[in-house]
Amino acid sequence: MKTNSTVIVGEGVKKVTFAQDKRFSLIAGPCQMESRDHAYMIAGTLAELCGKLGLGLVYKSSFDKANRTSIAGKRGIGLEKAMEIFADLKKDFGFPVLTDVHTEEQCGLVAGTVDILQIPAFLSRQTDLLVAAAKTGRAINVKKGQFLAPWDMKNVLAKFTESGNPNVLLCERGASFGYNTLVSDMRSLPIMASLGAPVVFDATHSVQQPGGQGGSTGGQREFVETLARAAVAVGIAGLFVETHEDPDNAPSDGPNMVHLKDMPRLLEKLLAFDAIAKG
């Protein structure tokens, strides 16, 4: 089975399209789900903004951050509570939603609610997890492992397609470069696109400094726009941006999340680059 070069998620007028030759769509939200009120505040702000910009939105948040640097790191509100909130967000706003899965069992539990299952970069070669995700029939966003070359993603992609699921997004989030450092090679974007799947660029995890603060991950938020502009200029189907109203006090990934108030200016600028790249 071949991959789909266009992946469409969601229902009704809020359907979101991911394709290399179309305007990029946005995957955005806070790193982890903190509470119902917080999720609604972020979601409402993003929905209003994307509505004004005519930009497809997939709301993302993690119910469990299973790969924290320290055992003391806050992990989220848990699967059951998060699925209730995701279901209500979808009903009230109409947009599709995305969350991470870490085990085979979780795939079936979240697939009844979420539109896109996300495979974390560290787990991108875990065959049993990938097959379980594929068999749910939901679209998949798989992060390229920090340890993989872009051409190696053909084997990851094959695990999904040979399990009967062609609706796969390949996501670039940087490659390990020495200690506590990631780099984003923009050549990886067209290389992965040549495999036949839409490509997403994760602008916020690409500026992470894994374990860079000793007991937690650091980041360089000031370079998110730089990398996002480069990726959009190259040409991408989707842009992944984590955002928070108070990132410096967020429970996870604060140093690399974009401040919510800065999202309008960032997206307006990136849409201008996108129009030039695909004009």
Side-chain angles (χ1 to χ4, degrees):
M1 177 181 288
K2 293 183 178 180
T3 54
N4 286 337
S5 59
T6 298
V7 173
I8 301 174
V9 296
E11 301 175 356
V13 297
K14 295 293 182 71
K15 280 184 179 177
V16 175
T17 299
F18 292 91
Q20 293 300 115
D21 60 347
K22 304 293 184 184
R23 171 184 271 205
F24 74 81
S25 291
L26 179 68
I27 301 172
C31 178
Q32 68 173 255
M33 191 172 284
E34 300 175 30
S35 69
R36 176 178 291 271
D37 288 345
H38 186 258
Y40 265 79
M41 184 275 292
I42 299 282
T45 302
L46 290 174
E48 182 180 3
L49 173 59
C50 290
K52 290 179 179 177
L53 297 175
L55 187 60
L57 170 66
V58 175
Y59 182 79
K60 72 80 50 186
S61 200
S62 299
F63 62 84
D64 179 19
K65 300 300 294 182
N67 58 346
R68 302 307 307 278
T69 301
S70 167
I71 196 170
K74 293 181 179 179
R75 292 182 51 164
I77 66 173
L79 190 150
E80 185 175 346
K81 288 182 179 179
M83 291 307 110
E84 292 175 0
I85 296 170
F86 275 133
D88 289 343
L89 289 170
K90 289 180 62 174
K91 180 179 65 177
D92 292 340
F93 292 106
F95 50 52
V97 298
L98 171 153
T99 199
D100 308 88
V101 289
H102 306 91
T103 67
E104 298 161 58
E105 179 186 27
Q106 289 175 353
C107 295
L109 294 174
V110 307
T113 302
V114 305
D115 301 272
I116 304 178
L117 276 62
Q118 181 164 279
I119 307 296
F122 286 127
L123 301 177
S124 59
R125 290 186 61 181
Q126 295 295 104
T127 301
D128 290 343
L129 174 62
L130 271 55
V131 170
K135 288 184 175 179
T136 67
R138 289 298 196 179
I140 309 292
N141 183 43
V142 56
K143 301 284 190 79
K144 179 177 73 62
Q146 302 93 326
F147 43 84
L148 290 177
W151 44 87
D152 292 331
M153 290 298 284
K154 68 179 183 296
N155 299 314
V156 174
L157 191 55
K159 292 179 182 181
F160 294 113
T161 58
E162 291 177 18
S163 300
N165 193 334
N167 294 311
V168 183
L169 306 172
L170 299 179
C171 186
E172 172 61 60
R173 51 95 73 234
S176 295
F177 187 77
Y179 298 124
N180 307 126
T181 304
L182 298 172
V183 296
S184 293
D185 181 358
M186 295 300 156
R187 297 175 300 176
S188 73
L189 303 175
I191 290 170
M192 289 199 294
S194 73
L195 301 178
V199 173
V200 175
F201 182 70
D202 181 345
T204 44
H205 287 95
S206 289
V207 300
Q208 271 188 340
Q209 295 174 312
Q213 295 184 343
S216 63
T217 289
Q220 294 178 299
R221 186 185 308 133
E222 66 271 23
F223 293 122
V224 168
E225 181 177 322
T226 301
L227 294 181
R229 287 167 60 178
V232 171
V234 169
I236 52 175
L239 181 70
F240 182 107
V241 179
E242 288 189 337
T243 184
H244 197 279
E245 84 288 357
D246 186 14
D248 290 334
N249 291 298
S252 60
D253 275 358
N256 49 269
M257 279 198 282
V258 173
H259 200 294
L260 190 60
K261 67 178 176 60
D262 294 330
M263 288 292 286
R265 183 191 62 82
L266 174 64
L267 292 175
E268 288 168 4
K269 187 174 292 186
L270 294 178
L271 285 170
F273 276 85
D274 190 68
I276 294 172
K278 297 170 182 172

